[in-house]
């Protein structure tokens, strides 16, 4: 009886899996084990290993990765700006209830209590802040009012308009009535 011989291919296959040479039996204590083998050994997953691409494809891969990274940075910046915009407290806006057309171009304006004081050509006028109705007008000047100041005194208001000649007048406004108190820097006529 003869023993069947294995084929040459099977021998080569088996020989690639078997180690040639004498086997060393390690000593039973860990102290005697070589330390170099542990540091040199690296776990590799054969499925994770990527083949090296040829040169033109590597350049294309680098460019695609660069475009992706730059677009991701832009997306993150826009997201941060949007979050900052949403976190801001928006001020309350009040739309106008009444529109008031002025007959002349105003030079200056002041607000005190519930009134708006508008200085213009030949004098100034007083409007109610809420109803936009003209309460009082003073047009006895021969020059334009260039600036106007107001001071709140409780129920009364002091008004100081200054005209183009540098003459300041002091007015007293109380209960929708206007009174001239004094003119300052006015040249007296001889």
């Amino acid at each position: 009886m003869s023993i069947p011989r294995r084929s040459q291919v099977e021998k080569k296959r088996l020989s690639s899996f078997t180690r040639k040479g004498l086997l060393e039996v390690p000593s039973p204590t860990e102290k005697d084990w070589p330390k170099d083998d542990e540091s040199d050994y690296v776990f590799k997953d054969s499925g994770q290993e990527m083949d090296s691409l040829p040169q033109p494809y590597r350049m294309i891969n680098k460019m695609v990765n660069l475009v992706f990274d730059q677009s991701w940075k832009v997306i993150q910046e826009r997201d941060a700006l949007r979050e900052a915009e949403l976190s801001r407290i928006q001020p309350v806006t009040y739309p106008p209830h009444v529109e008031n057309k002025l007959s002349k171009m105003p030079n200056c304006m002041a607000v005190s209590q519930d009134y708006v004081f508008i200085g213009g050509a030949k004098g100034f006028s007083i409007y109610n802040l809420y109803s936009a109705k003209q309460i009082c007008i003073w047009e006895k000047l021969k020059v334009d009012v260039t600036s106007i100041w107001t001071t709140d005194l409780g129920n009364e208001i002091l008004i100081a308009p200054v005209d183009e000649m540098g003459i300041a007048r002091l007015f007293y406004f109380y209960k929708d009535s206007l009174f001239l108190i004094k003119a300052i820097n006015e040249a007296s006529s001889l």
Side-chain angles (χ1 to χ4, degrees), residues 125-188:
S125 55
I126 303 169
Y127 292 88
N128 187 316
L129 190 61
Y130 303 110
S131 66
K133 293 189 178 186
Q134 188 174 18
I135 296 172
C136 189
I137 188 166
W138 193 78
E139 289 186 337
K140 295 183 180 175
L141 298 175
K142 295 180 181 174
V143 291
D144 295 346
V145 173
T146 56
S147 62
I148 190 167
W149 290 280
T150 59
T151 302
D152 185 15
L153 300 175
N155 292 335
E156 304 95 16
I157 300 172
L158 285 178
I159 308 160
V162 178
D163 61 20
E164 291 176 328
M165 300 297 291
I167 300 171
R169 291 175 176 80
L170 185 62
F171 289 91
Y172 176 75
F173 183 71
Y174 179 69
K175 290 189 178 181
D176 298 343
S177 299
L178 185 66
F179 304 100
L180 175 64
I181 297 174
K182 183 173 183 165
I184 304 168
N185 290 345
E186 188 171 26
S188 58

Side-chain angles (χ1 to χ4, degrees), residues 1-182:
M1 235 193 220
S2 67
I3 300 173
R5 294 188 168 226
R6 293 184 179 166
S7 68
Q8 291 287 28
V9 175
E10 285 184 40
K11 284 182 184 178
K12 285 184 181 178
R13 195 179 318 163
L14 288 175
S15 66
S16 66
F17 291 112
T18 59
R19 190 187 290 186
K20 293 182 181 178
L22 297 174
L23 292 175
E24 294 180 19
V25 178
S27 64
T29 61
E30 282 188 41
K31 294 178 185 174
D32 297 335
W33 291 355
K35 302 290 184 194
D36 299 336
D37 292 343
E38 292 176 7
S39 62
D40 291 339
Y41 189 74
V42 177
F43 291 106
K44 289 186 179 178
D45 186 8
S46 61
Q48 294 289 330
E49 205 171 294
M50 292 179 60
D51 294 334
S52 178
L53 295 172
Q55 175 53 36
Y57 297 108
R58 283 190 301 216
M59 180 61 82
I60 292 171
N61 190 25
K62 285 182 183 178
M63 295 301 292
V64 168
N65 287 338
L66 179 67
V67 167
F68 179 75
D69 291 341
Q70 288 177 349
S71 62
W72 187 252
K73 286 180 185 177
V74 169
I75 290 170
Q76 286 178 333
E77 289 173 4
R78 286 183 182 173
D79 189 41
L81 287 173
R82 190 185 71 213
E83 285 182 19
E85 187 70 29
L86 291 175
S87 66
R88 271 196 230 160
I89 298 173
Q90 298 295 327
V92 178
T93 57
Y94 297 102
H97 294 286
V98 178
E99 183 178 344
N100 191 4
K101 301 269 185 185
L102 298 173
S103 59
K104 301 171 189 169
M105 182 70 173
N107 293 337
C108 54
M109 197 162 76
V111 177
S112 183
Q113 291 182 4
D114 299 336
Y115 303 102
V116 177
F117 303 89
I118 299 175
K122 311 290 186 227
F124 67 93
S125 55
I126 303 169
Y127 292 88
N128 187 316
L129 190 61
Y130 303 110
S131 66
K133 293 189 178 186
Q134 188 174 18
I135 296 172
C136 189
I137 188 166
W138 193 78
E139 289 186 337
K140 295 183 180 175
L141 298 175
K142 295 180 181 174
V143 291
D144 295 346
V145 173
T146 56
S147 62
I148 190 167
W149 290 280
T150 59
T151 302
D152 185 15
L153 300 175
N155 292 335
E156 304 95 16
I157 300 172
L158 285 178
I159 308 160
V162 178
D163 61 20
E164 291 176 328
M165 300 297 291
I167 300 171
R169 291 175 176 80
L170 185 62
F171 289 91
Y172 176 75
F173 183 71
Y174 179 69
K175 290 189 178 181
D176 298 343
S177 299
L178 185 66
F179 304 100
L180 175 64
I181 297 174
K182 183 173 183 165

